[in-house]
Amino acid sequence: MTCKNRAKNCGGCPLLEVPYPEQLKQKEAKVRALLGKYGPVHPIRGMETPTHYRNKVISTFAMGFGGKLVSGIYATKTHKVLPVERCLLEDEVLDTVMEAVRAAAAACKYQPYHEDKGTGLLRHCLLRRGVATGQVMVVLVTAQPVLPGAKNFVRALLAEAEKRSVPVTTVVQNYNPRRTSVVLGEQEKVLYGKGFILDTLCGKTYALSPRSFYQVNPVQTAVLYGLAVDAAKLTGNEVVLDAYCGIGTIGLTAADKAKQVVGVELNRDAVHDAIGNAKHNGVKNARFFAADATEWISTAAAAGERADVIFMDPPREGSTPQFIESVARMAPKRVVYVSCNPETMARDLALLTKKGYHAEGFTPVDMFPNSEHIEVVCALSRQEQRKQSRR
Ligand code: SAH
């Protein structure tokens, strides 16, 4: 595949020149090399169409030639904005919405923020699309607390979006005065709509606000969660722990097939969303706690609490030895490990297998085609139990 942004030093697709079937082969081989000694590696689950999968876009504003307002991404290893109008990874509807945002902002004579001088108004625009519902959120990140003529901006944006036949469901202003590369600031003001959008994933509906963590490839997330929930082999009687649960998506997907779901997550906003998501979906058997997963599970295991199935989906650094020790103490029949980093997964697997868990198999899922990332689902079962059931 080719992309004209590539020639301009865009680093978004490091594998772009590698044909997609070859990318999949390479990723599967990497997983096999790292994890194959623990159990069989099943064929990688790739995308039918490995482009335009990102449901979230962050575009940074800058001044282009002739004073034109442009937006795009930072060129590789620089803080120079590379104007992007079309991107192979981004949802095409969102690229069109971004065009409407630029047109409306230019009509309102908004100036881009200048990073070095600290002058100007517009820093970034974050866009999100609920692919199942079609709803679109526009978050305009400003360096000033007030967006002058905000009503006119919204009116212009809705008109520009309509002209291009794309929806805008809600518009939020986010104020970020800090000199940092973190995109969102703390203060928000809803300019239009409800300030959140809805999306449906694996039969559950999620409310997404500007800050909510949400997987960016909805097609492959459904594949990933499907594999994870199948690997749990739930019958309806299990107590399930969803560790590192984010906004509760894996636990809520599993809740209909479990007796009880307990989710643990460090990020308080995500836990708040998870509780709301359970409520809005009428899920009554799920509870969520804001805590460090290791601390939480250590306390729970020491208090004699038990789980029948544990899902664990830690960040790139993986889990901790103490977390795994506590998993072993809780003695679940099954552990389903979802990883975004096969290297730390391999490290954690060494301890999990030592603690008596047998890896039944690994399925790599290509969540991020054209990038080097790989996601892996691993089903583990408790070995003593396997021996017993063989008798
Ligand atoms: N299962 C979720 C989120 C996975 S990403 C999903 O599929 O969407 C990993 C999550 O782990 C993030 O939400 C992150 O905030 C959380 N996390 C990171 N460190 C943690 C810790 N020490 N304890 C609990 N959660 C943690």
Side-chain angles (χ1 to χ4, degrees), residues 75-387:
T76 309
K77 296 189 184 127
T78 73
H79 258 228
K80 198 172 168 314
V81 173
L82 159 69
V84 172
E85 285 176 7
R86 296 279 145 191
C87 163
L88 272 177
L89 300 192
E90 292 166 4
D91 183 317
E92 288 174 291
V93 171
L94 293 184
D95 279 347
T96 308
V97 172
M98 197 57 226
E99 207 180 279
V101 171
R102 282 191 298 268
C108 292
K109 308 227 169 352
Y110 291 160
Q111 296 297 308
Y113 175 69
H114 194 293
E115 225 176 37
D116 299 331
K117 295 185 202 151
T119 57
L121 176 66
L122 299 185
R123 296 185 75 148
H124 316 278
C125 184
L126 181 148
L127 303 175
R128 251 188 171 152
R129 178 163 176 254
V131 173
T133 58
Q135 299 187 359
V136 171
M137 167 188 281
V138 175
V139 184
L140 204 59
V141 184
T142 62
Q144 313 293 337
V146 176
L147 182 70
K151 278 195 184 140
N152 284 340
F153 169 73
V154 169
R155 211 173 296 133
L157 174 57
L158 296 180
E160 294 290 348
E162 200 180 331
K163 226 194 277 178
R164 293 166 174 83
S165 307
V166 287
V168 169
T169 314
T170 189
V171 183
V172 178
Q173 180 205 349
N174 177 286
Y175 169 46
N176 185 359
R178 289 173 298 174
R179 290 207 163 191
T180 153
S181 53
V182 176
V183 173
L184 294 178
E186 302 291 325
Q187 280 180 46
E188 269 168 26
K189 189 172 174 197
V190 178
L191 303 179
Y192 173 73
K194 294 191 167 146
F196 63 85
I197 56 167
L198 298 176
D199 196 22
T200 304
L201 182 64
C202 298
K204 297 282 187 297
T205 301
Y206 296 95
L208 310 174
S209 48
R211 225 178 284 270
S212 305
F213 174 86
Y214 194 56
Q215 298 278 359
V216 296
N217 182 337
V219 173
Q220 292 298 82
T221 303
V223 173
L224 185 78
Y225 289 176
L227 287 166
V229 174
D230 282 353
K233 298 203 172 138
L234 298 171
T235 63
N237 296 320
E238 292 82 3
V239 173
V240 171
L241 173 62
D242 180 5
Y244 310 91
C245 70
I247 59 166
T249 37
I250 295 179
L252 292 174
T253 303
D256 300 344
K257 299 189 181 106
K259 185 163 105 191
Q260 202 196 350
V261 171
V262 180
V264 183
E265 159 66 43
L266 192 60
N267 181 319
R268 287 187 173 274
D269 290 339
V271 172
H272 182 258
D273 286 349
I275 293 167
N277 289 330
K279 201 165 148 212
H280 294 304
N281 285 288
V283 174
K284 298 208 166 65
N285 60 342
R287 286 181 300 153
F288 295 93
F289 296 95
D292 170 73
T294 300
E295 281 176 22
W296 191 91
I297 196 174
S298 305
T299 311
E305 288 189 34
R306 291 287 171 265
D308 300 300
V309 172
I310 295 183
F311 289 103
M312 52 189 286
D313 184 8
R316 289 188 62 74
E317 312 88 81
S319 191
T320 64
Q322 202 188 332
F323 181 94
I324 293 166
E325 303 271 350
S326 303
V327 167
R329 229 170 135 182
M330 275 197 169
K333 279 187 303 214
R334 301 183 70 74
V335 174
V336 180
Y337 191 150
V338 179
S339 165
C340 54
N341 183 351
E343 268 141 30
T344 53
M345 183 183 223
R347 182 202 65 203
D348 291 345
L349 253 284
L351 187 54
L352 271 164
T353 46
K354 213 191 255 172
K355 291 280 161 194
Y357 282 88
H358 161 79
E360 293 176 349
F362 298 87
T363 310
V365 179
D366 193 21
M367 295 285 277
F368 308 103
N370 300 309
S371 85
E372 273 144 1
H373 296 286
I374 322 172
E375 200 94 7
V376 184
V377 180
C378 173
L380 298 118
S381 52
R382 208 170 86 226
Q383 235 163 3
E384 294 89 347
Q385 202 188 25
R386 279 164 36 91
K387 281 181 198 144

